[in-house]
Amino acid sequence: MIHFCNYVRGISVAKRVAIMVGSLYGGGMERVAAQLSMMLSDFGLEVYVLVGSFDRRKAYVHKGKIINFQFFSLCSLSSRVKELGSLLYDACRLAQFKIEYGIDCTISFAPEMNFLNMVSGRRDKKILTIHSCQSLRKDFQGICHQKKAFKIYNNAFKVVAVSRWCKQDLIDYYGIRRDKIKVIYNPVDVAECKLSKIRKENIILIVGRMHDVKQQWHIIRAFRKVLDEIPDTKLIIAGTGENNRYLRKLSRKLSIENDVIFKGFVKDVQNLYDQAKLTVFSSASEALPCSVIESISSGVPVIAADCPGGIREIIAPGDLFDDVIKECTTVKCGMLVPKVDGKKYGAEEPLTKAETEMAKGIIFLLKNESAREKLVQNCLKYRELFDEKRIAKKWRELLGEVV
């Protein structure tokens, strides 16, 4: 067998690859970077992982040599002048690193890393990745997130978008050439996502950082109505973030604090998927959330507020409907409910239409095991779209073009 790092169809390919990411813990993008480090190492490539910070106890499983690069441009800076200066300084350091280590290809994660990758010399092939609904994220600030900054992406070897929605967003909003963009889904290790054999209690699961874009308060408010119908239901929340205190306070004011379990950061969430009957999501936008992919791969149907991004591609694969969701609607791997408005309501305020529909969907699937079981089987069928082996093949093909 011809070794990948030497030849692909007789053509010499890159041997040394660098992966640039802020850290190797905390979220879906970081998990994908860690998975990619293992894929590329298994291909026979020499992998270097450049991180802004590293914590071995929290880091996802990874391979390759860790380089704690300490990117100064990731720090909070008081002015655009200081930000630009830090970017240029980091770019010079990065260029020196690439020369010193003989890097053939650099794969970067998120706009800050993509910008540094692009302005750090011409010796290596550059692959940029986008893991968010970029044009919709008004909370993203800084030079690297400005629309003009994305023009440089057309000079990259390839731009990897994690969903078809993200690809179209990069074309329509940022003017990136269609031929530059390749869609590669986030991977999941299907072999590790085994269908739980235990009899499940009425447990609902939320997985995700407690950031404004996730909008988990809508789920907590809907959960109050679920308890009125099914009192033995529990809601487990896995994640941390700036809304932690607000969500706990909301639970107390709704008098459901004994039924909402805050787990904090959970490195291995598989045990929670094994317990849960459903997962629920309420985000303002989601490019291609790993937690949704992990959920269906574990045979756990998803109830999600309809939003821009790739959630439809995961739980309604192949469906081309463009209609606005107005009520809870069953799809292949769960249910779509109307888009939530993102407002932080108090406990005393009545449920919105979207929150009411979310509660209806949860109650229906908890009370109708046959309907839920049908969705479970669909989840196990369509999880193959995100199988790590399938995604590894796409990355292998892409790296094979780096000659």
Side-chain angles (χ1 to χ4, degrees):
M1 180 180 291
I2 299 176
H3 205 265
F4 178 88
C5 69
N6 293 323
Y7 293 91
V8 173
R9 294 182 182 177
I11 302 174
S12 177
V13 300
K15 294 182 180 180
R16 293 186 175 185
V17 178
I19 296 173
M20 297 171 57
V21 65
S23 69
L24 285 177
Y25 61 89
M29 180 183 70
E30 292 82 2
R31 185 190 296 273
V32 173
Q35 289 172 298
L36 183 60
S37 74
M38 293 192 289
M39 287 181 193
L40 301 188
S41 295
D42 291 344
F43 294 163
L45 300 172
E46 191 174 340
V47 177
Y48 299 84
V49 184
L50 280 67
V51 292
S53 62
F54 183 71
D55 187 331
R56 188 174 299 277
R57 294 169 299 176
K58 294 182 179 180
Y60 299 121
V61 179
H62 59 277
K63 289 183 179 180
K65 184 175 181 179
I66 298 295
I67 307 291
N68 201 332
F69 204 77
Q70 295 183 323
F71 294 95
F72 291 96
S73 50
L74 295 183
C75 302
S76 297
L77 299 168
S78 58
S79 71
R80 286 291 172 88
V81 173
K82 289 183 178 179
E83 182 186 1
L84 181 58
S86 296
L87 284 168
L88 295 176
Y89 178 67
D90 283 345
C92 289
R93 293 168 57 224
L94 181 60
Q96 292 174 352
F97 167 83
K98 291 179 178 181
I99 293 172
E100 180 181 350
Y101 283 80
I103 301 299
D104 300 293
C105 175
T106 306
I107 306 170
S108 47
F109 285 73
E112 294 88 352
M113 296 297 179
N114 291 340
F115 186 86
L116 289 176
N117 192 6
M118 288 303 301
V119 299
S120 58
R122 300 182 179 179
R123 291 172 176 262
D124 59 318
K125 301 282 183 160
K126 298 168 176 62
I127 298 175
L128 318 181
T129 72
I130 290 292
H131 293 256
S132 65
C133 299
Q134 195 62 39
S135 66
L136 301 178
R137 295 295 299 272
K138 305 307 179 185
D139 53 321
F140 288 157
Q141 302 296 324
I143 293 172
C144 303
H145 294 277
Q146 300 301 308
K147 191 173 181 179
K148 291 181 180 179
F150 280 76
K151 293 184 181 297
I152 200 171
Y153 283 45
N154 281 313
N155 297 320
F157 173 72
K158 195 67 73 174
V159 179
V160 172
V162 294
S163 68
R164 296 193 301 274
W165 190 99
C166 287
K167 176 178 179 177
Q168 202 59 46
D169 185 46
L170 292 172
I171 294 168
D172 294 343
Y173 190 81
Y174 294 101
I176 299 175
R177 298 204 315 269
R178 185 178 295 274
D179 64 294
K180 282 288 181 181
I181 307 172
K182 184 179 181 69
V183 175
I184 302 181
Y185 287 153
N186 293 335
V188 67
D189 188 345
V190 170
E192 289 188 1
C193 298
K194 297 177 181 178
L195 182 63
S196 175
K197 301 293 184 182
I198 64 172
R199 181 182 179 276
K200 295 191 175 187
E201 305 296 329
N202 288 327
I203 293 176
I204 306 166
L205 178 63
I206 300 174
V207 179
R209 295 172 175 174
M210 294 176 180
H211 293 175
D212 279 355
V213 71
K214 302 296 184 181
Q215 306 178 154
Q216 293 104 328
W217 55 86
H218 288 293
I219 304 174
I220 292 176
R221 280 167 49 83
F223 181 62
R224 169 68 273 180
K225 184 175 179 64
V226 173
L227 284 174
D228 292 339
E229 294 273 343
I230 312 174
D232 66 345
T233 309
K234 298 294 182 184
L235 175 63
I236 296 177
I237 304 177
T240 60
E242 67 268 14
N243 284 321
N244 184 24
R245 182 176 296 180
Y246 163 66
L247 296 177
R248 288 175 181 270
K249 183 178 179 180
L250 179 62
S251 298
R252 288 195 301 272
K253 292 206 168 187
L254 287 167
S255 300
I256 59 175
E257 66 270 26
N258 294 329
D259 300 296
V260 181
I261 303 165
F262 291 86
K263 288 286 190 178
F265 173 76
V266 179
K267 184 176 179 180
D268 183 7
V269 296
Q270 187 57 48
N271 182 54
L272 298 181
Y273 291 124
D274 290 343
Q275 299 175 51
K277 280 190 175 181
L278 304 168
T279 54
V280 189
F281 296 86
S282 55
S283 300
S285 65
E286 287 283 4
L288 202 84
C290 289
S291 46
V292 177
I293 297 172
E294 291 166 352
S295 182
I296 70 161
S297 296
S298 301
V300 182
V302 172
I303 294 179
D306 195 30
C307 67
I311 282 186
R312 284 194 182 195
E313 291 180 43
I314 304 173
I315 70 173
D319 291 344
L320 301 177
F321 58 89
D322 294 322
D323 297 338
V324 175
I325 299 296
K326 296 181 179 179
E327 58 186 15
C328 58
T329 303
T330 302
V331 291
K332 290 187 176 76
C333 299
M335 280 185 154
L336 285 170
V337 301
K339 189 180 191 307
V340 292
D341 60 23
K343 295 180 181 178
K344 290 183 177 178
Y345 294 98
E348 69 287 350
E349 296 179 86
L351 295 185
T352 65
K353 167 70 172 175
E355 291 169 341
T356 300
E357 291 300 314
M358 181 180 288
K360 283 182 181 178
I362 295 170
I363 292 167
F364 174 78
L365 289 181
L366 290 183
K367 284 188 171 182
N368 294 271
E369 184 60 22
S370 60
R372 195 188 73 86
E373 183 58 33
K374 182 178 180 181
L375 295 177
V376 169
Q377 297 307 315
N378 282 345
C379 288
L380 299 177
K381 174 183 177 182
Y382 288 105
R383 69 180 183 174
E384 300 300 326
L385 293 172
F386 311 98
D387 184 11
E388 197 170 54
K389 293 179 180 178
R390 181 188 183 106
I391 304 305
K393 182 179 179 180
K394 292 183 179 295
W395 276 104
R396 181 189 289 266
E397 291 170 353
L398 178 56
L399 267 293
E401 298 174 23
V402 184
V403 296

